[in-house]
Amino acid sequence: QDDLCLPDRLRRQVEVLDRQPEVVAVGTWVYYIRPDGQRIGVVGMPINDYGTFLGTLLTSATPVAHPAVVFRRDAVLAAGGYDETFAPCEDYALWCALARRRLSVVTIPEPLVMLRIHEQQQSQRRAVFQQHNVHRAHEQLVGAFCTAQDGPLVSSLLRMDEAFWVRCRSRQEVRTALEAMDRFLETLRGTFHLSSREAANMTHRIHWWFARGAFVAILRQQRQSLPVYRFSLRGGVRMLRYPTVCLYPGCFLLAGFFAPRVQRVCVN
């Protein structure tokens, strides 16, 4: 449509596909640009193996910008192609379908596409409906490896959405959800025969996301978030590089003193 490719984009992506036959899709980072073409910033995530790809999807995030993707057509068709019932997030649903088949998607960690931001984008006009379908696709992905009882709870926990904190109002209820989470992760490791590196990359993404979610929750005085914070610390000393990990203990102790305005500023 009105997005732009930089000159080396296709060549660089095809080179990755030629070098790595196990990879079925290659994305790139993107420049966000205004309608007049002025660059706003760079957006992208380092997705370099199946574990990182899967971990990103499990935290309900899109690992690659859809306009920046090149994929192997036969592999995508074999996975079912685009499911229009998930529009306007059929790209996220497709990535989930590929992940369930243990197919890898990676990104080139450089911006090779210029993505124009404007008010008429589907992600702007249909944001609520899009998020609803993201949740549907996410629950389908998680539910494929959970019991019917655990699936909705684990999916909500992984999204770190408000519905989870409404459902789990006590620390014991949160701990029960985390026990289901452990069972889920163990199933994934066995089902996909994850290497130690893939498993570490998958869980690191989850630990980081849980640390962020626990921090946002404690700013809202949701003190039952403590077990989620402790779960995030399983990521080891590397977690200390994230401000949310270091700030959580102090915020936990002082949560009762936060004025509502301060909470809104911090959360937003």
Side-chain angles (χ1 to χ4, degrees):
Q1 296 184 16
D2 57 357
D3 302 325
L4 301 171
C5 291
L6 296 182
D8 285 344
R9 175 208 166 176
L10 296 177
R11 178 182 62 81
R12 297 280 301 279
Q13 290 175 294
V14 170
E15 285 175 352
V16 173
L17 291 172
D18 287 344
R19 286 197 311 267
Q20 302 182 55
E22 76 282 3
V23 171
V24 300
V26 181
T28 79
W29 292 4
V30 301
Y31 287 114
Y32 276 172
I33 60 175
R34 295 192 175 98
D36 62 3
Q38 182 179 356
R39 294 180 184 179
I40 302 171
V42 175
V43 177
M45 288 187 284
I47 309 296
N48 50 28
D49 69 359
Y50 178 75
T52 312
F53 173 55
L54 180 59
T56 304
L57 288 170
L58 291 176
T59 55
S60 196
T62 300
V64 290
H66 196 198
V69 171
V70 169
F71 54 66
R72 302 185 195 275
R73 181 175 182 272
D74 289 346
V76 167
L77 290 177
Y82 290 109
D83 185 341
E84 294 182 5
T85 66
F86 285 98
C89 72
E90 61 270 39
D91 57 325
Y92 178 80
L94 175 60
W95 312 145
C96 289
L98 296 177
R100 288 198 301 273
R101 290 161 176 77
R102 221 233 187 261
L103 299 173
S104 292
V105 174
V106 300
T107 59
I108 297 172
E110 298 176 37
L112 299 177
V113 171
M114 301 174 76
L115 185 60
R116 204 176 303 270
I117 303 300
H118 53 83
E119 294 180 354
Q120 296 305 311
Q121 287 176 294
Q122 288 196 87
S123 57
Q124 301 282 346
R125 294 186 294 108
R126 306 178 68 191
V128 174
F129 185 59
Q130 184 180 52
Q131 196 60 38
H132 169 74
N133 278 345
V134 166
H135 287 184
R136 283 180 54 225
H138 184 258
E139 288 172 358
Q140 190 177 86
L141 172 64
V142 172
F145 306 99
C146 274
T147 64
Q149 180 179 358
D150 285 349
L153 182 60
V154 171
S155 183
S156 185
L157 169 63
L158 280 165
R159 291 195 302 269
M160 283 278 101
D161 55 18
E162 187 61 27
F164 174 75
W165 302 112
V166 170
R167 178 172 181 172
C168 297
R169 295 184 178 277
S170 71
R171 292 182 196 172
Q172 182 53 51
E173 289 173 318
V174 172
R175 283 191 285 267
T176 298
L178 291 169
E179 289 169 1
M181 180 72 192
D182 277 329
R183 293 191 292 271
F184 170 67
L185 292 176
E186 189 59 34
T187 298
L188 290 179
R189 293 187 190 100
T191 300
F192 293 124
H193 305 290
L194 299 181
S195 68
S196 57
R197 180 183 178 219
E198 289 172 331
N201 286 341
M202 175 186 71
T203 55
H204 179 72
R205 169 71 190 190
I206 293 170
H207 291 149
W208 168 80
W209 181 246
F210 278 12
R212 180 188 179 279
F215 178 71
V216 171
I218 198 59
L219 291 177
R220 293 171 173 159
Q221 302 190 46
Q222 292 164 320
R223 300 177 72 85
Q224 74 270 36
S225 60
L226 182 59
V228 174
Y229 173 73
R230 287 174 173 164
F231 189 97
S232 75
L233 296 180
R234 295 185 189 180
V237 295
R238 65 190 295 198
M239 297 299 296
L240 296 177
R241 61 182 171 175
Y242 301 117
T244 53
V245 173
C246 301
L247 292 173
Y248 182 92
C251 291
F252 181 86
L253 295 173
L254 299 173
F257 298 99
F258 290 151
R261 178 177 296 180
V262 174
Q263 291 181 48
R264 286 197 297 271
V265 170
C266 291
V267 171
N268 293 332

